């Protein structure tokens, strides 16, 4: 069964350092998303990406965040200068269609710990 | 942002009985609703969904009911099994495709 894969599963980084979280969406999907879940809180939308550009972003997704689809398979989330409050589980998701009612498939997540 | 709410943080049921998980929403523009199941250290796994043009969708032991006038949906699991023990998230989306999640309900099914 096709799945969304994320690497690494756990990333520990020093405050102020840059991190790149990687995702390989399901191959025929066209819409890509990043979500995060701070410990004990709800899963929050960060950004959606379609046709090589951001289609929507949340207030959380400020100038420190960026996304990229560097090739035909990878989808990355970069945090330029990490803060302690960026510590969270980050989930990548993909959908085949946006407006047709289809579910998003999630990866297993990357646990980011900023120390 | 409390557009999607799951007011019960936890639920405990006996194996074989019905589990009912509830979810309320406030945004009338939501037209698609989903339930995801999540185990610790894993990503959300899609369970079942319902479009706003329906009031019920069934898949095996799982049934989702939607009451648009009350802006309420519920997930019924019958019969409940110990393997159903997990965190269940309700999510809603409109025409942008992004999901707005509730806080989650931890279901424990006791053998």
């Amino acid at each position: 069964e096709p799945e969304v894969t994320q690497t690494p599963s756990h990333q520990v980084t020093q405050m102020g350092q840059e991190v790149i979280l990687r995702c390989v969406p399901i191959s025929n999907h066209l819409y890509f998303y990043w979500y995060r879940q701070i410990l004990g809180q709800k899963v929050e939308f960060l950004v959606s990406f379609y046709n090589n550009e951001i289609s929507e972003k949340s207030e959380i997704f400020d100038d420190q965040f960026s996304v990229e689809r560097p090739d035909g398979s990878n989808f990355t989330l970069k945090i330029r200068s990490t803060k302690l409050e960026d510590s969270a589980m980050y989930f990548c998701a993909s959908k085949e269609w946006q407006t047709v009612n289809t579910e998003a498939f999630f990866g297993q997540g990357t646990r980011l710990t900023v120390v | 942002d409390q557009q999607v709410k799951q007011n019960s943080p936890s639920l405990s049921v006996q194996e074989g009985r019905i589990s009912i998980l509830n979810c309320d929403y406030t945004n009338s523009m939501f037209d698609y609703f989903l339930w995801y199941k999540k185990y610790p250290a894993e990503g959300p796994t899609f369970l079942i969904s319902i479009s706003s043009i329906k009031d019920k969708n069934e898949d095996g032991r799982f049934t989702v009911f939607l009451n648009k006038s009350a802006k309420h949906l519920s997930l019924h699991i019958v019969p409940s099994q110990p393997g159903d023990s997990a965190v269940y998230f309700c999510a809603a989306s409109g025409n942008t495709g992004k999901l707005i999640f509730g806080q989650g309900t931890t279901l424990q099914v006791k053998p």
Side-chain angles (χ1 to χ4, degrees):
Chain A
E1 184 176 321
E3 59 180 16
V4 177
T5 57
Q6 291 185 242
T7 54
S9 57
H10 191 188
Q11 173 89 47
V12 181
T13 189
Q14 295 260 337
M15 190 170 56
Q17 294 295 304
E18 174 183 287
V19 293
I20 297 176
L21 309 183
R22 301 178 192 281
C23 169
V24 179
I26 295 173
S27 62
N28 64 331
H29 285 189
L30 302 176
Y31 297 89
F32 314 114
Y33 306 85
W34 283 101
Y35 291 82
R36 78 172 185 190
Q37 185 183 27
I38 295 172
L39 187 64
Q41 299 185 23
K42 60 170 67 178
V43 177
E44 303 173 287
F45 167 79
L46 291 179
V47 65
S48 58
F49 191 86
Y50 168 69
N51 200 24
N52 281 323
E53 60 182 28
I54 291 173
S55 46
E56 187 176 3
K57 59 183 181 180
S58 71
E59 293 174 354
I60 303 166
F61 195 89
D62 61 21
D63 292 344
Q64 293 300 310
F65 292 86
S66 63
V67 288
E68 195 178 33
R69 189 153 162 83
D71 53 43
S73 59
N74 290 286
F75 179 49
T76 61
L77 174 69
K78 182 193 292 186
I79 309 175
R80 288 191 184 82
S81 178
T82 50
K83 308 184 191 71
L84 294 176
E85 54 265 37
D86 293 327
S87 295
M89 282 290 287
Y90 287 81
F91 296 106
C92 172
S94 69
K95 281 180 73 161
E96 192 172 6
W97 302 103
Q98 174 161 303
T99 54
V100 173
N101 291 335
T102 56
E103 62 272 20
F105 291 86
F106 284 77
Q108 79 280 17
T110 293
R111 178 172 298 283
L112 176 65
T113 303
V114 182
V115 297
Chain B
D1 182 354
Q2 293 287 307
Q3 294 188 74
V4 178
K5 282 192 205 177
Q6 293 174 256
N7 290 318
S8 298
S10 63
L11 175 68
S12 181
V13 299
Q14 209 64 35
E15 180 179 6
R17 308 295 284 267
I18 184 171
S19 296
I20 300 177
L21 297 99
N22 293 301
C23 179
D24 297 293
Y25 63 97
T26 57
N27 191 335
S28 303
M29 300 304 291
F30 290 147
D31 60 5
Y32 189 53
F33 304 90
L34 309 90
W35 285 94
Y36 282 85
K37 179 179 176 180
K38 187 179 179 303
Y39 294 112
E42 291 186 14
T45 302
F46 171 73
L47 202 54
I48 192 168
S49 63
I50 188 166
S51 163
S52 60
I53 62 173
K54 294 186 174 181
D55 55 18
K56 177 182 173 181
N57 188 26
E58 195 171 350
D59 183 2
R61 297 185 297 115
F62 302 92
T63 303
V64 55
F65 295 92
L66 175 63
N67 183 334
K68 281 182 63 179
S69 60
K71 294 191 177 67
H72 177 84
L73 63 155
S74 60
L75 174 68
H76 293 210
I77 307 174
V78 181
S80 302
Q81 299 172 354
D84 295 330
S85 297
V87 180
Y88 287 78
F89 289 98
C90 166
S93 75
N95 60 1
T96 67
K98 76 177 182 188
L99 296 175
I100 305 296
F101 283 86
Q103 305 93 315
T105 297
T106 301
L107 173 65
Q108 184 184 27
V109 181
K110 297 179 180 176

